[in-house]
C-alpha cells in the first residue's frame, strides 16, 4: 500500500521472521498500522532523526524532560532507536538547571556537533543569556539549513541574533509584549507551538511535548503520536494555536461571564490601561453594575484588581528580564519608574530593584556555594 508506514514493537518485528506485509493484520490489531502518510511538511522535518538539546545555564528541567520524553517514548513504541537524542553544554559539560540539578551533557558547543534539529532549552531566568561561541554556532547551523527549535524564552536569544527574522514563532506569554516591541521583524504568535519552515518554537514547559508530538506525527504518522500521547497520560493531541494560559474563570475562580470579560479586557490592556467606562462598555454592563460584580465575586473594586494585575505583571518582568524599571513601568501602564516603584513597594513590601537582586542571587546561589 503506497504511503503505508509500519510501527513495529520488539515482540513482533523482526524476531517473528515474517515480512511487514504478512504482519499487517497483527499490527493493525495492535493499533500499530498507520495507512495515512504525513501531511505536506518539509522533507527535512519529516526525516529528522538526530536531535540535539542545547542546555543554557539555569535551563528548565521540566522543559527538557517534556521536549525529550516524547521521542524516547516513540523509540519505545517502535522498538528501535528511531530518534537519537544528545545534550549539549555551552561552556562545559556540566550544566545546572533552574532547580539546581546538574546535568552532564554528551557534547559541548565547542565540539561543533551537527543535528537534524537543534533544540535550545532555557528558562524565564535565562532569557538574556549571551555567549558568542553559541551564537556563532547557531548562525552556522542556520546557514546550513538545519532546523532550529528554541523553546520558551530561548526564542529571545535567536531573535536577538536575527535567526527568527521573517519567521512565525511563539514564546512564553510573560515575554509577549516585550518581544513584540524588541523584535518587530519576527511574527509572534500566541499559541503553544509553531512550525515555520526551518524554525520550530514552543512556549516552554509542557508545550515542548506538544511540539515533539507534532514532529513525531509529521515524521512517523499520527497513529504513533497518539500512542505516545496516550502513554504520557495526555487525553488528546493539542493543536499549535491553543491558548498558553488557563481559562480566566479557572485562574480567578469566577464563573460570571460579564466579570470574566472584564478581567480579560484588563489583562489584554496593560500598557495603556482602560478606563472603568471602557471596561464596563466592553463587558456589556454599566459602571455601577461592574462595581457590584467585583464587590460580590472578588471583594474588591475593579480598578483595584486592575492595578494588582498590572503590578503582578511588572513583578514578573522585574524577575525574569533585564529591562530597566522605567521600561517596565511603561509596559505595565505606569506614568514613570517612580510611580511604579511607589505602587510596587506598597504592594510587595520592597522596591523592584531588591526583587531583581533576590531573583538574581537565587539563580546563582548554588554556583557560588561551589566556589
Amino acid at each position: 500500500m503506497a504511503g503505508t508506514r509500519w510501527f513495529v514493537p520488539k515482540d513482533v518485528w523482526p524476531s517473528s521472521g515474517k515480512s511487514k506485509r504478512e504482519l499487517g493484520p497483527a499490527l493493525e490489531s495492535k493499533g500499530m498500522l498507520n495507512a495515512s502518510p504525513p501531511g505536506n511538511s518539509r522533507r527535512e522535518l519529516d526525516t529528522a532523526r538526530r536531535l540535539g538539546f542545547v542546555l543554557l545555564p539555569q535551563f528548565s528541567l521540566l522543559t527538557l524532560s517534556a521536549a525529550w520524553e516524547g521521542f524516547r517514548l516513540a523509540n519505545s513504541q517502535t522498538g528501535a532507536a528511531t530518534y537519537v537524542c544528545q545534550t549539549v553544554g555551552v561552556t562545559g559539560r556540566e550544566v545546572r538547571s533552574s532547580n539546581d540539578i546538574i546535568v552532564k551533557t554528551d557534547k559541548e558547543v565547542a565540539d561543533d556537533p551537527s543535528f537534524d534539529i537543534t533544540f535550545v532549552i532555557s528558562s524565564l531566568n535565562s532569557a538574556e543569556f549571551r555567549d558568542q561561541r553559541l551564537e556563532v554556532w547557531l548562525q552556522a547551523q542556520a546557514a546550513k539549513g538545519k532546523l532550529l527549535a528554541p523553546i520558551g524564552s530561548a526564542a529571545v536569544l535567536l531573535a536577538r541574533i536575527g535567526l527568527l527574522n521573517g519567521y512565525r514563532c511563539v514564546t512564553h506569554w510573560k515575554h509577549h509584549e516585550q518581544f513584540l516591541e524588541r523584535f518587530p521583524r519576527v511574527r509572534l504568535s500566541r499559541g503553544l507551538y509553531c512550525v515555520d519552515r526551518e524554525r520550530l518554537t514552543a512556549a516552554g514547559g509542557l508545550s515542548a511535548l506538544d511540539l515533539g508530538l507534532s514532529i513525531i506525527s509529521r515524521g512517523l504518522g499520527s497513529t504513533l503520536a497518539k500512542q505516545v500521547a496516550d502513554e504520557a497520560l495526555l487525553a488528546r493531541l493539542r493543536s499549535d494555536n491553543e491558548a498558553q494560559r488557563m481559562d480566566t474563570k479557572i485562574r480567578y475562580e469566577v464563573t460570571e461571564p460579564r466579570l470574566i470579560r472584564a478581567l480579560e479586557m484588563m489583562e489584554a490592556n496593560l500598557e495603556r490601561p482602560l478606563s472603568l467606562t471602557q471596561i464596563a462598555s466592553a463587558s456589556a454592563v454599566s459602571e455601577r453594575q461592574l462595581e457590584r460584580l467585583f464587590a460580590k465575586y472578588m471583594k474588591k473594586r475593579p480598578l483595584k484588581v486592575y492595578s494588582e494585575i498590572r503590578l503582578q505583571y511588572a513583578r514578573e518582568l522585574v524577575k525574569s528580564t533585564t529591562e530597566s524599571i522605567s521600561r517596565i513601568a511603561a509596559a505595565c501602564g505606569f506614568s514613570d519608574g517612580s510611580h511604579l516603584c511607589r505602587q510596587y513597594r506598597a504592594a510587595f513590601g520592597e522596591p523592584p530593584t531588591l526583587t531583581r537582586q533576590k531573583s538574581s542571587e537565587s539563580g546563582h546561589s548554588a554556583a557560588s556555594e561551589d566556589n
Side-chain angles (χ1 to χ4, degrees), residues 318 325 344 350-358:
V318 167
I325 301 303
Y344 192 100
E350 63 185 27
T353 51
L354 182 55
T355 300
R356 176 167 285 172
Q357 180 183 339
K358 289 179 178 178

Side-chain angles (χ1 to χ4, degrees), residues 14 22 34 60 78 89-90 116 143 158 199 236 238 253 284 359:
E22 291 174 314
N34 176 20
S60 166
T78 60
V90 177
D116 297 326
L158 267 73
R199 301 294 181 268
R236 61 185 177 85
R238 296 196 293 179
E253 298 182 344
S359 179

Side-chain angles (χ1 to χ4, degrees), residues 85-105:
C85 303
Q86 291 187 313
T87 51
V88 181
V90 177
T91 58
R93 292 204 176 185
E94 289 190 351
V95 188
R96 190 181 296 272
S97 70
S98 59
N99 58 357
D100 289 338
I101 293 177
I102 296 176
V103 173
K104 188 172 183 179
T105 63

Side-chain angles (χ1 to χ4, degrees), residues 126-130 135 150 152-172 174-190 201 321-323 327:
S126 55
E128 299 301 328
F129 176 76
R130 296 170 185 263
E135 293 170 8
S153 61
V156 174
L157 187 157
L158 267 73
R160 181 168 47 77
I161 60 177
L163 294 182
L164 291 180
N165 288 346
Y167 288 91
R168 289 187 302 112
C169 80
V170 299
T171 190
H172 195 282
K174 289 183 178 180
H175 290 295
H176 279 172
E177 302 309 318
Q178 288 67 41
F179 196 97
L180 285 168
E181 182 179 347
R182 289 180 63 182
F183 309 115
R185 297 178 63 187
V186 182
R187 298 158 56 196
L188 183 65
S189 300
R190 296 180 181 268
T201 52
T321 75
T322 58
E323 293 285 357
R327 288 179 66 87

Side-chain angles (χ1 to χ4, degrees), residues 127-232:
E128 299 301 328
F129 176 76
R130 296 170 185 263
D131 182 272
Q132 185 176 9
R133 178 177 289 176
L134 171 64
E135 293 170 8
V136 169
W137 180 73
L138 288 172
Q139 289 169 331
Q141 301 309 302
K144 296 175 184 176
K146 298 293 185 179
L147 302 174
L148 299 180
I151 308 299
S153 61
V156 174
L157 187 157
L158 267 73
R160 181 168 47 77
I161 60 177
L163 294 182
L164 291 180
N165 288 346
Y167 288 91
R168 289 187 302 112
C169 80
V170 299
T171 190
H172 195 282
W173 62 266
K174 289 183 178 180
H175 290 295
H176 279 172
E177 302 309 318
Q178 288 67 41
F179 196 97
L180 285 168
E181 182 179 347
R182 289 180 63 182
F183 309 115
R185 297 178 63 187
V186 182
R187 298 158 56 196
L188 183 65
S189 300
R190 296 180 181 268
L192 289 174
Y193 63 92
C194 179
V195 176
D196 185 6
R197 293 162 289 164
E198 301 87 7
R199 301 294 181 268
L200 296 70
T201 52
L206 295 179
S207 70
L209 177 56
D210 296 301
L211 175 61
L213 290 170
S214 174
I215 293 170
I216 293 168
S217 181
R218 288 168 181 255
L220 297 177
S222 62
T223 296
L224 180 60
K226 291 173 183 175
Q227 290 167 344
V228 169
D230 198 32
E231 188 169 349

Side-chain angles (χ1 to χ4, degrees), residues 50-54 84-88 115-120:
R50 294 175 299 117
L51 313 178
F53 296 81
V54 178
V84 178
C85 303
Q86 291 187 313
T87 51
V88 181
F115 305 103
D116 297 326
I117 305 178
T118 297
F119 294 84
V120 184

